[in-house]
Amino acid sequence: GLAPAPNDLEGFRFLEGSWKGESGKAVFEERWTDAVGGTMLGVARTLASGKTVAFEFLRIVAREDGVFYVAQPNGNPPTEFKVTRVFAGEAVFENPQHDHPKIIRYRLGESDSVLTAEIEGDEGKQAFRFERANAP
């Protein structure tokens, strides 16, 4: 596929909506707004034993110099990851200077109801499997 125009978020629309995954006793959720006005906004939450143990503010922003994934775990100052690949239900964002993660990858499964998120960095590699959830 051709590289997208820097200010075009069309290729990220596969993330729109609500996603939910489980790993052991942890439940993780991500919700993404639609891609309008050059931004997508996301919120993520991790629950354990019915309590919120982590949350994250996320955004995907189109700028003149590219598309960036901006993460603020637990409300911390933002860390930016630049898109290096977006193609047919897959998006890869990288920040080689950051310790962990350095790479964030989202991939839609064969069915559009399964989403895998992978993070890679100094602490190794983790994968999270989400299924499309209906927002309450």
Side-chain angles (χ1 to χ4, degrees), residues 50-112:
K51 290 195 169 77
T52 297
V53 294
F55 71 93
E56 194 160 8
F57 300 128
L58 302 164
R59 55 191 194 271
I60 296 173
V61 191
R63 299 188 193 138
E64 289 300 307
D65 55 340
V67 174
F68 292 83
Y69 180 100
V70 184
Q72 294 184 252
N74 301 310
N76 287 321
T79 301
E80 298 193 349
F81 299 83
K82 187 171 186 176
V83 70
T84 53
R85 177 180 163 84
V86 54
F87 181 74
E90 182 180 354
V92 182
F93 305 91
E94 302 189 40
N95 179 339
Q97 277 73 51
H98 196 243
D99 53 353
H100 188 86
K102 293 180 190 302
I103 302 171
I104 298 168
R105 187 182 286 110
Y106 285 93
R107 192 183 291 117
L108 211 53
E110 260 103 73
S111 99
D112 69 359

Side-chain angles (χ1 to χ4, degrees), residues 6-134:
N7 58 355
D8 183 6
L9 295 185
E10 220 27 61
F12 303 91
R13 295 191 80 106
F14 71 92
L15 289 171
E16 290 173 353
S18 293
W19 301 94
K20 193 170 188 175
E22 288 178 44
S23 176
K25 294 186 175 173
V27 175
F28 31 87
E29 303 170 343
E30 264 188 33
R31 292 181 195 176
W32 287 94
T33 64
D34 50 357
V36 170
T39 61
M40 289 177 74
L41 301 177
V43 286
R45 169 170 68 178
T46 305
L47 303 160
S49 309
K51 290 195 169 77
T52 297
V53 294
F55 71 93
E56 194 160 8
F57 300 128
L58 302 164
R59 55 191 194 271
I60 296 173
V61 191
R63 299 188 193 138
E64 289 300 307
D65 55 340
V67 174
F68 292 83
Y69 180 100
V70 184
Q72 294 184 252
N74 301 310
N76 287 321
T79 301
E80 298 193 349
F81 299 83
K82 187 171 186 176
V83 70
T84 53
R85 177 180 163 84
V86 54
F87 181 74
E90 182 180 354
V92 182
F93 305 91
E94 302 189 40
N95 179 339
Q97 277 73 51
H98 196 243
D99 53 353
H100 188 86
K102 293 180 190 302
I103 302 171
I104 298 168
R105 187 182 286 110
Y106 285 93
R107 192 183 291 117
L108 211 53
E110 260 103 73
S111 99
D112 69 359
S113 62
V114 176
L115 179 71
T116 303
E118 290 175 356
I119 61 171
E120 252 179 84
D122 290 353
E123 293 166 34
K125 190 171 176 175
Q126 278 174 288
F128 303 90
R129 185 177 182 276
F130 294 89
E131 302 207 11
R132 199 175 281 285
N134 294 323

